[in-house]
Amino acid sequence: MPIYEYICDDCQASFEKIVFNKQQEISCPKCSSKKATIQLSVFSSAIAGGSAKPSGGSSGGSCCGGGCGCH
Ligand SMILES: [Zn+2]
């Protein structure tokens, strides 16, 4: 069962609550306010590799790696 983290809209207290269904009424343990904002769990988001990889030709460091025509 999921545990959600809430931030109270009134006193900004953060608290966790086991939520059985989304309609469940939550109340702040500090001020018993019914207005709390759910915080999404911090996912370890995979870093999307968007950078263009410079895929150059396999240019060998040595001269005779090919391409230079020294043979
Ligand atoms: Zn509160």
mmCIF file of all heavy atoms in Angstrom, residues 10-36:
data_model
loop_
_atom_site.group_PDB
_atom_site.id
_atom_site.type_symbol
_atom_site.label_atom_id
_atom_site.label_comp_id
_atom_site.label_asym_id
_atom_site.label_seq_id
_atom_site.Cartn_x
_atom_site.Cartn_y
_atom_site.Cartn_z
ATOM 1 N N ASP A 10 -1.861 24.705 5.493
ATOM 2 C CA ASP A 10 -2.042 25.742 6.511
ATOM 3 C C ASP A 10 -0.791 25.959 7.349
ATOM 4 O O ASP A 10 -0.365 27.078 7.559
ATOM 5 C CB ASP A 10 -3.215 25.371 7.422
ATOM 6 C CG ASP A 10 -4.538 25.571 6.706
ATOM 7 O OD1 ASP A 10 -4.561 26.289 5.691
ATOM 8 O OD2 ASP A 10 -5.552 25.008 7.161
ATOM 9 N N CYS A 11 -0.202 24.877 7.822
ATOM 10 C CA CYS A 11 0.955 25.049 8.704
ATOM 11 C C CYS A 11 2.235 24.531 8.073
ATOM 12 O O CYS A 11 3.281 24.551 8.714
ATOM 13 C CB CYS A 11 0.699 24.362 10.045
ATOM 14 S SG CYS A 11 0.720 22.560 9.954
ATOM 15 N N GLN A 12 2.150 24.073 6.845
ATOM 16 C CA GLN A 12 3.319 23.627 6.083
ATOM 17 C C GLN A 12 4.004 22.422 6.709
ATOM 18 O O GLN A 12 5.157 22.136 6.410
ATOM 19 C CB GLN A 12 4.349 24.759 5.923
ATOM 20 C CG GLN A 12 3.773 26.054 5.409
ATOM 21 C CD GLN A 12 3.209 25.919 4.005
ATOM 22 O OE1 GLN A 12 3.869 25.447 3.114
ATOM 23 N NE2 GLN A 12 1.970 26.313 3.824
ATOM 24 N N ALA A 13 3.325 21.762 7.588
ATOM 25 C CA ALA A 13 3.914 20.566 8.177
ATOM 26 C C ALA A 13 3.870 19.442 7.158
ATOM 27 O O ALA A 13 2.891 19.283 6.420
ATOM 28 C CB ALA A 13 3.149 20.171 9.435
ATOM 29 N N SER A 14 4.929 18.684 7.124
ATOM 30 C CA SER A 14 4.945 17.546 6.215
ATOM 31 C C SER A 14 4.678 16.289 7.021
ATOM 32 O O SER A 14 5.195 16.115 8.117
ATOM 33 C CB SER A 14 6.287 17.457 5.505
ATOM 34 O OG SER A 14 7.325 17.225 6.420
ATOM 35 N N PHE A 15 3.867 15.451 6.469
ATOM 36 C CA PHE A 15 3.538 14.211 7.160
ATOM 37 C C PHE A 15 3.260 13.134 6.142
ATOM 38 O O PHE A 15 2.960 13.428 4.977
ATOM 39 C CB PHE A 15 2.341 14.398 8.096
ATOM 40 C CG PHE A 15 1.100 14.927 7.415
ATOM 41 C CD1 PHE A 15 0.114 14.058 6.975
ATOM 42 C CD2 PHE A 15 0.933 16.289 7.217
ATOM 43 C CE1 PHE A 15 -1.017 14.546 6.349
ATOM 44 C CE2 PHE A 15 -0.194 16.789 6.587
ATOM 45 C CZ PHE A 15 -1.176 15.922 6.148
ATOM 46 N N GLU A 16 3.386 11.920 6.572
ATOM 47 C CA GLU A 16 3.165 10.801 5.675
ATOM 48 C C GLU A 16 1.893 10.083 6.076
ATOM 49 O O GLU A 16 1.535 10.027 7.242
ATOM 50 C CB GLU A 16 4.351 9.839 5.734
ATOM 51 C CG GLU A 16 5.589 10.418 5.084
ATOM 52 C CD GLU A 16 6.800 9.535 5.281
ATOM 53 O OE1 GLU A 16 6.740 8.630 6.127
ATOM 54 O OE2 GLU A 16 7.807 9.747 4.601
ATOM 55 N N LYS A 17 1.261 9.546 5.081
ATOM 56 C CA LYS A 17 -0.009 8.896 5.331
ATOM 57 C C LYS A 17 -0.122 7.688 4.413
ATOM 58 O O LYS A 17 0.189 7.766 3.232
ATOM 59 C CB LYS A 17 -1.158 9.871 5.020
ATOM 60 C CG LYS A 17 -2.402 9.604 5.812
ATOM 61 C CD LYS A 17 -2.398 10.429 7.084
ATOM 62 C CE LYS A 17 -3.754 10.319 7.779
ATOM 63 N NZ LYS A 17 -3.726 10.977 9.093
ATOM 64 N N ILE A 18 -0.552 6.628 4.982
ATOM 65 C CA ILE A 18 -0.856 5.471 4.145
ATOM 66 C C ILE A 18 -2.232 5.687 3.535
ATOM 67 O O ILE A 18 -3.208 5.918 4.238
ATOM 68 C CB ILE A 18 -0.839 4.177 4.972
ATOM 69 C CG1 ILE A 18 0.569 3.943 5.528
ATOM 70 C CG2 ILE A 18 -1.274 2.996 4.121
ATOM 71 C CD1 ILE A 18 0.638 2.782 6.488
ATOM 72 N N VAL A 19 -2.262 5.652 2.236
ATOM 73 C CA VAL A 19 -3.499 5.961 1.535
ATOM 74 C C VAL A 19 -4.073 4.684 0.939
ATOM 75 O O VAL A 19 -3.428 4.015 0.132
ATOM 76 C CB VAL A 19 -3.257 7.005 0.429
ATOM 77 C CG1 VAL A 19 -4.524 7.258 -0.345
ATOM 78 C CG2 VAL A 19 -2.741 8.291 1.030
ATOM 79 N N PHE A 20 -5.256 4.372 1.353
ATOM 80 C CA PHE A 20 -5.898 3.161 0.836
ATOM 81 C C PHE A 20 -6.647 3.462 -0.456
ATOM 82 O O PHE A 20 -6.707 2.652 -1.356
ATOM 83 C CB PHE A 20 -6.851 2.585 1.875
ATOM 84 C CG PHE A 20 -6.143 2.174 3.128
ATOM 85 C CD1 PHE A 20 -6.153 2.979 4.248
ATOM 86 C CD2 PHE A 20 -5.438 0.980 3.173
ATOM 87 C CE1 PHE A 20 -5.482 2.604 5.403
ATOM 88 C CE2 PHE A 20 -4.760 0.605 4.320
ATOM 89 C CZ PHE A 20 -4.782 1.422 5.436
ATOM 90 N N ASN A 21 -7.196 4.615 -0.515
ATOM 91 C CA ASN A 21 -7.789 5.052 -1.771
ATOM 92 C C ASN A 21 -7.682 6.563 -1.866
ATOM 93 O O ASN A 21 -7.484 7.267 -0.869
ATOM 94 C CB ASN A 21 -9.236 4.584 -1.907
ATOM 95 C CG ASN A 21 -10.110 5.153 -0.815
ATOM 96 O OD1 ASN A 21 -10.370 6.355 -0.779
ATOM 97 N ND2 ASN A 21 -10.568 4.304 0.085
ATOM 98 N N LYS A 22 -7.822 7.026 -3.084
ATOM 99 C CA LYS A 22 -7.569 8.443 -3.340
ATOM 100 C C LYS A 22 -8.623 9.336 -2.688
ATOM 101 O O LYS A 22 -8.400 10.508 -2.478
ATOM 102 C CB LYS A 22 -7.557 8.684 -4.853
ATOM 103 C CG LYS A 22 -6.304 8.184 -5.535
ATOM 104 C CD LYS A 22 -5.151 9.170 -5.363
ATOM 105 C CE LYS A 22 -3.841 8.625 -5.904
ATOM 106 N NZ LYS A 22 -3.905 8.364 -7.345
ATOM 107 N N GLN A 23 -9.759 8.730 -2.407
ATOM 108 C CA GLN A 23 -10.814 9.542 -1.812
ATOM 109 C C GLN A 23 -10.671 9.656 -0.293
ATOM 110 O O GLN A 23 -11.443 10.321 0.360
ATOM 111 C CB GLN A 23 -12.185 8.945 -2.147
ATOM 112 C CG GLN A 23 -12.765 9.511 -3.443
ATOM 113 C CD GLN A 23 -12.009 8.998 -4.664
ATOM 114 O OE1 GLN A 23 -11.687 7.833 -4.743
ATOM 115 N NE2 GLN A 23 -11.705 9.867 -5.604
ATOM 116 N N GLN A 24 -9.673 8.978 0.191
ATOM 117 C CA GLN A 24 -9.484 9.000 1.637
ATOM 118 C C GLN A 24 -9.212 10.423 2.113
ATOM 119 O O GLN A 24 -8.436 11.162 1.531
ATOM 120 C CB GLN A 24 -8.308 8.097 1.996
ATOM 121 C CG GLN A 24 -8.053 8.012 3.485
ATOM 122 C CD GLN A 24 -6.962 6.982 3.778
ATOM 123 O OE1 GLN A 24 -6.844 6.015 3.056
ATOM 124 N NE2 GLN A 24 -6.194 7.226 4.806
ATOM 125 N N GLU A 25 -9.873 10.741 3.207
ATOM 126 C CA GLU A 25 -9.708 12.086 3.720
ATOM 127 C C GLU A 25 -8.462 12.126 4.596
ATOM 128 O O GLU A 25 -8.285 11.285 5.470
ATOM 129 C CB GLU A 25 -10.942 12.485 4.529
ATOM 130 C CG GLU A 25 -11.149 13.977 4.560
ATOM 131 C CD GLU A 25 -12.563 14.303 5.025
ATOM 132 O OE1 GLU A 25 -12.913 13.895 6.127
ATOM 133 O OE2 GLU A 25 -13.294 14.955 4.264
ATOM 134 N N ILE A 26 -7.649 13.075 4.321
ATOM 135 C CA ILE A 26 -6.449 13.213 5.126
ATOM 136 C C ILE A 26 -6.553 14.513 5.922
ATOM 137 O O ILE A 26 -7.197 15.471 5.513
ATOM 138 C CB ILE A 26 -5.179 13.197 4.263
ATOM 139 C CG1 ILE A 26 -5.301 14.156 3.083
ATOM 140 C CG2 ILE A 26 -4.892 11.784 3.751
ATOM 141 C CD1 ILE A 26 -4.672 15.501 3.327
ATOM 142 N N SER A 27 -5.938 14.472 7.063
ATOM 143 C CA SER A 27 -5.938 15.676 7.869
ATOM 144 C C SER A 27 -4.566 15.840 8.504
ATOM 145 O O SER A 27 -3.899 14.863 8.833
ATOM 146 C CB SER A 27 -7.016 15.612 8.947
ATOM 147 O OG SER A 27 -6.810 14.465 9.744
ATOM 148 N N CYS A 28 -4.187 17.061 8.654
ATOM 149 C CA CYS A 28 -2.880 17.360 9.203
ATOM 150 C C CYS A 28 -2.823 16.939 10.671
ATOM 151 O O CYS A 28 -3.733 17.233 11.441
ATOM 152 C CB CYS A 28 -2.621 18.857 9.061
ATOM 153 S SG CYS A 28 -1.112 19.397 9.859
ATOM 154 N N PRO A 29 -1.782 16.236 11.057
ATOM 155 C CA PRO A 29 -1.663 15.824 12.456
ATOM 156 C C PRO A 29 -1.373 16.987 13.389
ATOM 157 O O PRO A 29 -1.541 16.861 14.600
ATOM 158 C CB PRO A 29 -0.495 14.827 12.435
ATOM 159 C CG PRO A 29 0.297 15.206 11.238
ATOM 160 C CD PRO A 29 -0.676 15.743 10.236
ATOM 161 N N LYS A 30 -0.960 18.088 12.825
ATOM 162 C CA LYS A 30 -0.635 19.237 13.673
ATOM 163 C C LYS A 30 -1.850 20.127 13.896
ATOM 164 O O LYS A 30 -2.248 20.397 15.024
ATOM 165 C CB LYS A 30 0.481 20.056 13.023
ATOM 166 C CG LYS A 30 1.854 19.766 13.585
ATOM 167 C CD LYS A 30 2.836 20.792 13.048
ATOM 168 C CE LYS A 30 4.207 20.624 13.717
ATOM 169 N NZ LYS A 30 5.158 21.619 13.207
ATOM 170 N N CYS A 31 -2.414 20.576 12.785
ATOM 171 C CA CYS A 31 -3.499 21.541 12.913
ATOM 172 C C CYS A 31 -4.820 20.942 12.451
ATOM 173 O O CYS A 31 -5.827 21.628 12.429
ATOM 174 C CB CYS A 31 -3.187 22.805 12.112
ATOM 175 S SG CYS A 31 -3.131 22.549 10.337
ATOM 176 N N SER A 32 -4.777 19.667 12.084
ATOM 177 C CA SER A 32 -5.969 18.933 11.636
ATOM 178 C C SER A 32 -6.686 19.639 10.499
ATOM 179 O O SER A 32 -7.897 19.574 10.379
ATOM 180 C CB SER A 32 -6.927 18.669 12.804
ATOM 181 O OG SER A 32 -7.457 19.873 13.294
ATOM 182 N N SER A 33 -5.891 20.277 9.695
ATOM 183 C CA SER A 33 -6.456 20.883 8.505
ATOM 184 C C SER A 33 -6.698 19.812 7.460
ATOM 185 O O SER A 33 -5.958 18.834 7.362
ATOM 186 C CB SER A 33 -5.503 21.952 7.958
ATOM 187 O OG SER A 33 -5.912 22.324 6.659
ATOM 188 N N LYS A 34 -7.738 20.006 6.690
ATOM 189 C CA LYS A 34 -8.061 19.019 5.663
ATOM 190 C C LYS A 34 -7.412 19.372 4.341
ATOM 191 O O LYS A 34 -7.553 18.670 3.358
ATOM 192 C CB LYS A 34 -9.589 18.944 5.488
ATOM 193 C CG LYS A 34 -10.296 18.399 6.702
ATOM 194 C CD LYS A 34 -10.316 16.867 6.685
ATOM 195 C CE LYS A 34 -10.724 16.286 8.028
ATOM 196 N NZ LYS A 34 -12.013 16.808 8.513
ATOM 197 N N LYS A 35 -6.747 20.508 4.341
ATOM 198 C CA LYS A 35 -6.114 20.943 3.104
ATOM 199 C C LYS A 35 -4.633 20.605 3.151
ATOM 200 O O LYS A 35 -3.866 21.211 3.889
ATOM 201 C CB LYS A 35 -6.320 22.443 2.916
ATOM 202 C CG LYS A 35 -7.710 22.781 2.413
ATOM 203 C CD LYS A 35 -8.030 24.251 2.574
ATOM 204 C CE LYS A 35 -6.959 25.139 1.971
ATOM 205 N NZ LYS A 35 -7.336 26.570 2.095
ATOM 206 N N ALA A 36 -4.294 19.641 2.389
ATOM 207 C CA ALA A 36 -2.883 19.275 2.305
ATOM 208 C C ALA A 36 -2.561 18.939 0.861
ATOM 209 O O ALA A 36 -3.395 18.407 0.129
ATOM 210 C CB ALA A 36 -2.581 18.088 3.200
#
